[in-house]
């Protein structure tokens, strides 16, 4: 079956928002990302994920700030669904506080990001879900599910065969 379609891959400037779950301590956070798609397959950009101070044990609170620069290469499964590996660099700041003594400990480290994701094309918006791991002095894993809005899109017409 052959059909003409507008390639609505992640091409142009994108801005995304998502809740994020840190898997080791089950922290809930918020992710914001700004990406640039060079073409329908390759995009990259910075991300910030904030996990506000949350109790992880009795009288023990943890706050995490993550700064990332990631890249994705999208493999189109269909004209609506894309899958991608995730790779990049990470800078993590963890702040731990004892609620009783108010003593605070802060750790900072660089790491390497790895993972994978899937997105569903909704036109100028993508719904996405991804798993990301961080390998380094502050290893961690995350699940993020959200939306990405495409701005200043390069509207090239192409034809796909399926």
């Amino acid at each position: 079956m052959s059909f003409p379609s507008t390639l609505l891959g992640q091409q142009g400037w994108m801005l995304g928002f998502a809740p994020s779950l840190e898997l080791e301590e089950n922290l809930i956070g918020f992710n914001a990302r700004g990406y640039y798609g060079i073409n329908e397959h390759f995009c990259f950009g910075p991300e910030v994920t904030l996990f506000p101070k949350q109790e992880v044990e009795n009288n023990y609170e943890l706050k995490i700030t993550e700064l990332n620069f990631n890249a994705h290469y999208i493999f189109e499964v269909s004209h609506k669904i894309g899958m991608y590996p995730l790779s990049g660099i990470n800078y993590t700041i963890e702040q731990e506080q004892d609620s009783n003594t108010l003593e605070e400990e802060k750790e900072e480290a660089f790491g390497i990001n790895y993972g994978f994701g899937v997105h569903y094309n909704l036109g100028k918006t993508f719904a996405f879900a991804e798993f990301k791991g961080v390998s380094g002095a502050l290893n961690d894993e995350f699940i993020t599910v959200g939306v990405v809005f495409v701005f200043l899109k390069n509207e090239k017409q192409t034809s796909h065969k399926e």
Side-chain angles (χ1 to χ4, degrees), residues 16 18 32 35 39 55 64 74 96 98 118 120 124 136 138 141 144 148 154 157 162:
Y35 272 62
N39 57 37
E55 187 171 27
I64 299 174
I74 294 113
E96 306 164 354
D98 184 325
V118 62
Y120 185 79
K124 292 196 177 218
L138 296 172
E141 295 180 332
T144 305
V148 173
N154 183 2
Q157 294 286 328
E162 283 195 6

Side-chain angles (χ1 to χ4, degrees), residues 93-110:
I93 304 164
E94 288 189 3
Q95 296 171 292
E96 306 164 354
Q97 185 175 25
D98 184 325
S99 302
N100 290 332
T101 64
L102 298 181
E103 285 184 30
E104 190 172 285
E105 187 178 313
K106 183 177 178 180
E107 289 184 81
E108 302 177 39
F110 283 97

